[in-house]
DNA sequence: CCGTAAACCATTCTTACGTCA
DNA sequence: GCTGACGTAAGAATGGTTTAC
């Protein structure tokens, strides 16, 4: 589990997707449902559709995949639906979303266009290039030397934050996407190993402020459209590629954590089913033994087995089978009489309360 | 069918941190 | 208590692949 970082006050309105999630809980009463696609190869084999609703843990945002059609590939196999009760609803993150605005598809919201919007009010502007670096970057991209100038104590968040924004690539290490982004390219740590003096190592990590802001953004949308990406990059003074990569890695972490949760749940299911199987085997042996000792036992037609309305089990006693069946039939609603085998209730001849039914 | 963009995935690499001699 | 080597977890970044359009 991760600690959530909070920014600003805690009185902000919950995010839209959380409201949606709560509606789902209210309407369906499902807190956790999971489908497993079985029988198909490749990625569909492990296709999982997870909706973990109202979970305060930050790895719960898979529901946001609904925003993006990519993850909606239908499972090829027959899905196995598993449901869990909803977790105790905890007030969703206490973080403020002040200033976090998302550009719509038509670009109506220009979150990053103004220096007064969003993080700059919290001091992100301090991470802009120092004057020397800006000067160096005026005609060309900032050289590694500029980053070396500002390198300071790694324990200082502010200083590292500033440094993060001052590390730029020398200009030849960009990927295709970096090139296409047209942004000043920050150096990767790999490239930075070949420093001028070979002694300094550039910081790779994003600052806490940047990560927190990205985290908040991820809670809002776990995928980005190009405009959102650009706006975030502009707000955080990062390359769009960095924002893209951060979201990709964040989705991967979310998926990994969810997979771990699913694995634990399936393990418990497996244990339960194993126990059920063991119990049924034992029951079958007892029935066979009983049949051997009393050949007339279990000669009743299936239509005489009646569902007990209280425990939803077939009513029966260890007394004379015909009498028990007839009394049970007359004592219950005839509509509960079981005649099919497709949904045949379990038969517990030795106790009214099924094992483990507590 | 082909090209492109976006997302995913596996992997590498860096950094921070804990442990221990 | 301090220090450096070492191991490890977390996260940033990369290249290849898949998928939708």
């Amino acid at each position: 589990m991760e600690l959530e970082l909070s920014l600003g006050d805690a009185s902000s309105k919950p995010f839209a997707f959380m409201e949606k999630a709560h509606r789902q809980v209210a309407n369906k009463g499902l807190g956790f449902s999971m489908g497993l696609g079985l029988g198909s190869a490749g990625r569909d084999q492990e296709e999982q559709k997870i909706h973990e609703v109202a979970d305060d843990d930050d790895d719960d945002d898979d529901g946001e995949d609904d925003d993006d059609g990519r993850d909606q590939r239908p499972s090829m196999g027959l899905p196995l639906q598993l449901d869990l009760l909803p977790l105790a609803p905890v007030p969703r993150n206490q973080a403020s979303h002040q200033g976090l605005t998302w550009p719509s598809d038509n670009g109506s919201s220009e979150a990053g266009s103004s220096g007064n919007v969003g993080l700059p009010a919290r001091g992100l502007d301090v991470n802009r290039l120092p004057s020397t670096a800006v000067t160096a970057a005026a005609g060309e991209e900032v050289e590694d030397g500029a980053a070396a100038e500002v390198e300071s104590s790694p324990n200082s968040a502010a200083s590292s934050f500033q440094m993060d924004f001052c590390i730029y690539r020398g200009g030849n290490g960009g990927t295709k996407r970096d090139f296409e982004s047209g942004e000043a390219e920050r150096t990767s740590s790999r490239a930075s190993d070949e420093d001028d003096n070979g002694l300094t190592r550039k910081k790779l990590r994003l600052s806490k402020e940047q990560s927190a802001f990205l985290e908040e953004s991820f809670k809002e949308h776990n995928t980005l459209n190009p405009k959102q990406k650009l706006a975030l990059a502009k707000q955080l003074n990062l390359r769009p590629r960095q924002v893209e990569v951060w979201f990709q890695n964040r989705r991967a972490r979310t998926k990994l954590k969810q997979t771990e949760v699913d694995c634990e749940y399936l393990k418990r299911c497996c244990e339960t089913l194993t126990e059920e199987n063991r119990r049924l085997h034992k029951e079958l042996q007892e029935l066979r033994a009983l049949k051997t000792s009393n050949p007339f036992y279990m000669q009743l037609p299936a239509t005489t087995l009646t569902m007990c309305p209280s425990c939803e089990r077939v009513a029966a006693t260890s007394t004379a089978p015909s009498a028990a069946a007839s009394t049970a039939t007359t004592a219950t609603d005839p509509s509960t009489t079981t005649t099919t085998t497709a949904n045949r209730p379990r038969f517990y001849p030795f106790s009214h309360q099924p094992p483990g039914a507590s």
Side-chain angles (χ1 to χ4, degrees), chain A residues 53-54 79 82 91 97 109 133 175 186 220 239 242 269 299:
Chain A
V53 180
L82 299 173
H97 256 250
S109 172
T175 64
R186 293 176 60 201
E220 195 77 5
R239 282 178 292 129
Q242 282 183 294
C269 287
Q299 294 298 320

Side-chain angles (χ1 to χ4, degrees), chain A residues 103-313:
Chain A
S104 61
D105 287 336
N106 57 13
S108 59
S109 172
E110 285 297 322
S113 60
S114 168
N116 271 338
V117 177
L119 277 179
R122 293 192 284 267
L124 277 194
D125 276 347
V126 302
N127 300 291
R128 294 195 178 280
L129 295 175
S131 57
T132 57
V134 171
T135 303
E140 61 184 49
E141 294 165 357
V142 178
E143 299 294 331
D144 286 349
E149 275 188 27
V150 297
E151 183 139 16
S152 59
S153 168
N155 295 328
S156 167
S159 60
S160 66
F161 195 32
Q162 183 175 25
M163 182 169 56
D164 278 337
F165 287 167
C166 298
I167 301 169
Y168 285 82
R169 179 167 298 169
N172 57 355
T175 64
K176 174 188 172 188
R177 273 176 276 200
D178 291 337
F179 181 78
E180 289 171 351
S181 72
E183 297 282 320
E185 296 173 329
R186 293 176 60 201
T187 183
S188 70
S189 308
R190 206 160 309 147
S192 69
D193 282 344
E194 307 301 326
D195 236 2
D196 290 342
N197 51 19
L199 294 178
T200 59
R201 261 180 158 174
K202 304 301 187 302
K203 273 186 75 71
L204 176 67
R205 303 218 160 185
L206 304 181
S207 69
K208 289 180 180 177
E209 289 83 357
Q210 286 172 312
S211 295
F213 195 77
L214 288 167
E215 192 70 39
E216 293 303 314
S217 305
F218 184 81
K219 288 173 182 173
E220 195 77 5
H221 300 274
N222 71 349
T223 56
L224 292 172
N225 62 39
K227 288 183 179 179
Q228 290 170 337
K229 188 197 307 178
L230 284 173
L232 257 184
K234 194 171 183 179
Q235 277 187 292
L236 297 176
N237 216 6
L238 296 172
R239 282 178 292 129
R241 171 63 177 162
Q242 282 183 294
V243 175
E244 175 186 325
V245 166
W246 188 93
F247 269 74
Q248 176 55 43
N249 287 323
R250 185 64 180 79
R251 284 192 293 266
R253 288 194 292 272
T254 297
K255 185 176 181 180
L256 181 64
K257 286 188 176 183
Q258 190 58 57
T259 301
E260 292 173 355
V261 170
D262 297 343
C263 186
E264 277 301 310
Y265 176 70
L266 289 175
K267 195 184 297 181
R268 290 197 299 271
C269 287
C270 183
E271 291 170 356
T272 300
L273 290 174
T274 300
E275 174 62 22
E276 174 82 353
N277 188 40
R278 186 199 62 78
R279 186 186 58 74
L280 289 174
H281 272 292
K282 181 181 177 182
E283 200 175 296
L284 182 60
Q285 287 180 342
E286 291 172 345
L287 285 173
R288 283 173 175 163
L290 188 64
K291 186 177 181 181
T292 303
S293 62
N294 185 359
F296 297 106
Y297 188 73
M298 296 285 291
Q299 294 298 320
L300 296 171
T303 54
T304 63
L305 299 178
T306 304
M307 177 80 78
C308 171
S310 63
C311 64
E312 296 186 352
R313 306 291 187 185

